[in-house]
Amino acid sequence: MKLDPTEMTPVVNRLKRARGQLDGVLRMLEEGRDCEDVVTQLAAVSKALDRAGFAIVATGLQQCLTNGDDVDSLDVKKMEKLFLSLA
């Protein structure tokens, strides 16, 4: 199954923001910034990546269910594995 690029626009935007945040974390480390500030920003990057991953998996699942595909043919184990890989 392929993801619709137009539906992925918010996910792409979120990932671009996360990339910017990660660049910020790298700058903070290079500048010797406070550990607490670095960890806080790193946690924000991690959450953004997690949200993007869940959005991708959820959109894929939604497409499977709404495209008229037989629910029985949906690979539940595969979807479960994708979700768990993000946990």
Side-chain angles (χ1 to χ4, degrees):
M1 169 193 53
K2 293 184 180 182
L3 297 169
D4 180 359
T6 58
E7 290 185 29
M8 289 293 102
T9 299
V11 175
V12 169
N13 291 338
R14 179 173 284 160
L15 289 171
K16 287 179 180 179
R17 279 192 305 275
R19 180 175 55 192
Q21 288 175 305
L22 184 56
D23 288 341
V25 169
L26 291 169
R27 277 191 303 277
M28 292 171 77
L29 288 170
E30 292 169 345
E31 295 169 359
R33 296 277 298 272
D34 182 67
C35 177
E36 186 177 346
D37 294 339
V38 173
V39 171
T40 299
Q41 286 296 66
L42 194 55
V45 173
S46 179
K47 285 182 183 180
L49 292 175
D50 287 346
R51 282 189 223 118
F54 282 118
I56 291 168
V57 173
T59 300
L61 180 58
Q62 181 182 20
Q63 285 180 2
C64 285
L65 295 175
T66 59
N67 284 339
D69 293 345
D70 183 7
V71 175
D72 292 332
S73 71
L74 181 65
D75 189 343
V76 176
K77 288 289 185 190
K78 186 175 183 179
M79 293 305 291
E80 180 181 316
K81 184 176 178 179
L82 284 172
F83 272 112
L84 291 175
S85 73
L86 296 170

